[in-house]
């Protein structure tokens, strides 16, 4: 199943022009799944991104506008689109000219995939 998820994430990179990387981490920043475009090493794939996003998302949720689901950040020639999928965080790293709306839609589509990963992790921790 792990290989299927990696292949699925690698295919995602071809769906949106300018998408360079897709990473799933837990809330502590542990990388669970990662796919990078060929010959590309985006500078923002560090595991600290997931942990930092979790803190920022929790703070944004305190604004009284319900729970925060995503954050979009632009840094020079890159944009980060991050999603709060419960116990997991999905991060897309893309060029700044990539279609942000498509990235947001793609993240929403991936919620069911991340729930499968979260369930598998939970079951594994329950048996240990």
């Amino acid at each position: 199943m792990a290989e299927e998820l990696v292949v699925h994430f690698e295919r995602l990179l071809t769906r949106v022009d300018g998408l360079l990387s897709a990473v799933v981490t837990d809330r502590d920043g542990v990388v669970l799944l990662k796919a990078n475009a060929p010959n590309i090493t985006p500078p923002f794939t560090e595991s600290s991104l997931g942990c930092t996003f979790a803190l920022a998302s929790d703070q944004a949720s305190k604004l009284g506008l319900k729970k925060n689901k995503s954050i979009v950040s632009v840094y020079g020639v890159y944009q980060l689109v991050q999603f709060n999928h419960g116990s997991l965080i999905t991060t897309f790293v893309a060029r700044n000219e990539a279609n942000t709306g498509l990235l947001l839609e793609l993240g929403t589509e991936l919620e069911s995939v991340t729930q499968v990963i979260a369930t598998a992790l939970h079951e594994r921790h329950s048996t240990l």
Side-chain angles (χ1 to χ4, degrees):
M1 177 161 169
E3 295 87 21
E4 293 172 8
L5 287 171
V6 171
V7 169
H8 181 69
F9 266 66
E10 288 173 348
R11 284 188 197 140
L12 293 177
L13 299 177
T14 63
R15 287 184 53 190
V16 178
D17 287 337
L19 179 57
L20 304 174
S21 180
V23 183
V24 176
T25 63
D26 67 7
R27 294 182 70 79
D28 294 325
V30 176
V31 176
L32 303 172
L33 186 60
K34 180 176 171 182
N36 288 330
N39 303 320
I40 298 288
T41 305
F44 298 114
T45 57
E46 303 160 13
S47 61
S48 62
L49 284 175
C51 185
T52 304
F53 169 78
L55 292 171
S57 182
D58 289 344
Q59 290 301 312
S61 293
K62 294 178 182 178
L63 293 173
L65 301 172
K66 297 192 179 181
K67 186 176 178 181
N68 181 59
K69 295 181 181 179
S70 62
I71 293 178
V72 177
S73 307
V74 179
Y75 301 95
V77 297
Y78 297 102
Q79 65 175 301
L80 268 69
V81 182
Q82 295 178 288
F83 302 89
N84 184 355
H85 290 151
S87 62
L88 301 181
I89 295 164
T90 303
T91 302
F92 294 137
V93 179
R95 298 191 193 288
N96 63 351
E97 69 270 2
N99 187 323
T100 307
L102 287 177
L103 294 171
L104 288 167
E105 182 181 321
L106 190 58
T108 303
E109 288 177 26
L110 281 180
E111 192 165 5
S112 61
V113 174
T114 57
Q115 285 181 352
V116 169
I117 297 169
T119 301
L121 286 172
H122 180 72
E123 288 173 358
R124 179 161 188 200
H125 288 291
S126 296
T127 61
L128 294 178

